[in-house]
Amino acid sequence: MRKINVTHVISDTNIGGAGRCLLNFLECFDREALDVRVVVPRGALLVPEVEALGVEAVQVDGIGDRSLNVAAVSALARIFRKTAPDIVHTHAALSARFAARLAGAKIVHTRHSAFDQPAHMKAFPRKQLHGLINSWFSDAIISVSPAATANLVETGTDPRRITLVYNGVPSPNKLGEADRFRLRAEAGFAPGDFVAAIIARLSPEKGHDCLLDAAKILAETNIKLAVAGTGEREEHLRQRLKRENIGNVTMLGFVKDVHRLENILDAQVNCSIGAEATSLSLLEGMSLGIPAVVSASGGNPYVVEHGLSGLVVPPGDPHALALALRRLQQDNELYVSLSQGASDAYNNRFTAQRMCDETTNIYRKLVKA
């Protein structure tokens, strides 16, 4: 049986959530079944990462951080006619979907995001236009969360075209207690501290201000909070910490080795307000048995089940967030139960191999059809 020829196209110049998902796929796809290449913007940060995994990266002008560029459609169509993919799998790259249709390839599109849709996107004529585009220029649509599926359907997409495939991640290596103790000390945490972190870009929809408000409520406890990431809100958050004398929060900035940080945590936090599909850092933490406290926003409640693998609190509620962290710190029986639940949820639903297998099955069905 011949290999299925698959070309992934991603328009991101930086490495965000979609890029990390693609790299996770490239780490574990079946090379006996699939022949895979990746089309990326020229100079994209993904290029060396893709090539390090032994996959060809084709660099193209005109698609960087742009879903649609009419001038790029013909260039992409020429590439597809030359390489003859059976499947073109796109990630926020509408230009590639148009080009794939011109070249006669089957089209798979992944919806990586989930957020509150504006009213005009759910009403005539935008809803009907969006639905038509997804019907004409997608043979299959992968949704990474039920929240993303809801977004697609409410903006006109035929639900019969959508398949839910949760994001999956490789499990980081779990460090021993001696290494964990050493790393916590190097990060400035005392042996008795209960350490929780939010790992996300510093942008408004991630809800970092709620975390700082919760930190003020927890000021007299030994719960220590860390903020990992960079972004537009970094200076605002640093100024808040200084101005309001919030001493139990550490700003870590960009963390190159996130897995080392995840290994020293007692809990993870996700405070997103209105924009979250499936947080990859939450999945990595769950693989290590780290419970999470998350807002009931977007896809969070589908990842973390309240009382089973973590705790879910209302979005934007610092008091509920602080109370949940105190419960994790004080109730050891609850903590052990949630830790095991997080590990079980990862193994059952969020492994990278499961994501690869389910995606490959979609390719097989399309090629067979």
Side-chain angles (χ1 to χ4, degrees), residues 98-363:
F98 290 168
R101 190 58 81 217
L102 290 173
K106 296 286 188 180
I107 303 166
V108 177
H109 172 61
T110 292
R111 174 63 175 262
H112 290 279
S113 61
F115 52 89
D116 293 336
Q117 297 292 318
H120 69 272
M121 287 297 297
K122 298 185 284 187
F124 180 85
R126 296 292 290 272
K127 176 178 180 178
Q128 284 70 22
L129 177 60
H130 184 260
L132 284 173
I133 289 173
N134 276 342
S135 292
W136 291 340
F137 299 102
S138 301
D139 295 292
I141 298 173
I142 292 175
S143 164
V144 302
S145 166
T149 300
N151 276 183
L152 287 164
V153 172
E154 69 184 351
T155 55
T157 299
D158 184 347
R160 292 172 296 181
R161 290 185 179 269
I162 304 170
T163 301
L164 174 65
V165 178
Y166 281 109
N167 287 335
V169 298
S171 177
N173 291 328
K174 190 167 186 176
L175 299 179
E177 281 303 309
D179 287 333
R180 190 170 183 266
F181 184 85
R182 175 179 55 80
L183 288 175
R184 283 169 68 100
E186 289 176 0
F189 299 115
D193 288 341
F194 184 92
V195 183
I198 179 171
I199 305 171
R201 70 180 180 275
L202 307 186
S203 54
E205 71 275 7
K206 296 300 183 180
H208 290 84
D209 279 296
C210 181
L211 182 75
L212 267 57
D213 291 337
K216 294 166 70 174
I217 298 170
L218 296 168
E220 301 304 317
T221 74
N222 64 338
I223 296 176
K224 306 300 181 184
L225 303 171
V227 176
T230 59
E232 63 191 275
R233 299 284 282 179
E234 183 169 359
E235 185 58 27
H236 161 77
L237 295 172
R238 291 187 183 276
Q239 289 297 323
R240 267 204 69 185
L241 292 178
K242 183 178 179 180
R243 183 175 63 251
E244 300 174 32
N245 194 30
I246 305 173
N248 55 345
V249 176
T250 302
M251 296 286 290
L252 300 176
F254 173 74
V255 177
K256 184 176 181 180
D257 191 346
V258 175
H259 296 166
R260 287 166 68 90
L261 171 61
E262 290 165 341
N263 261 281
I264 70 172
L265 299 180
D266 297 298
Q268 276 205 73
V269 177
N270 183 299
C271 301
S272 290
I273 44 176
E276 193 70 65
T278 305
S279 165
L280 301 184
S281 62
L282 282 183
L283 303 186
E284 289 168 351
M286 292 170 74
S287 77
L288 297 171
I290 301 172
V293 178
V294 304
S295 62
S297 176
N300 279 345
Y302 301 102
V303 174
V304 175
E305 296 180 87
H306 183 71
L308 295 178
S309 55
L311 299 175
V312 182
V313 299
D317 188 337
H319 292 278
L321 175 58
L323 178 62
L325 286 169
R326 285 289 277 171
R327 286 186 65 196
L328 285 182
Q329 178 207 25
Q330 296 178 330
D331 190 336
N332 185 64
E333 184 177 345
L334 173 66
Y335 185 91
V336 171
S337 173
L338 295 181
S339 175
Q340 185 61 55
S343 181
D344 291 344
Y346 168 78
N347 289 322
N348 292 332
R349 300 166 60 202
F350 301 120
T351 65
Q353 192 60 59
R354 189 266 325 149
M355 175 189 68
C356 282
D357 292 346
E358 292 183 10
T359 302
T360 301
N361 285 338
I362 292 172
Y363 297 159

Side-chain angles (χ1 to χ4, degrees), residues 35-51:
D35 183 10
V36 177
R37 67 178 51 81
V38 179
V39 174
V40 294
R42 190 170 303 281
L45 295 182
L46 273 171
V47 172
E49 303 286 340
V50 169
E51 292 178 340

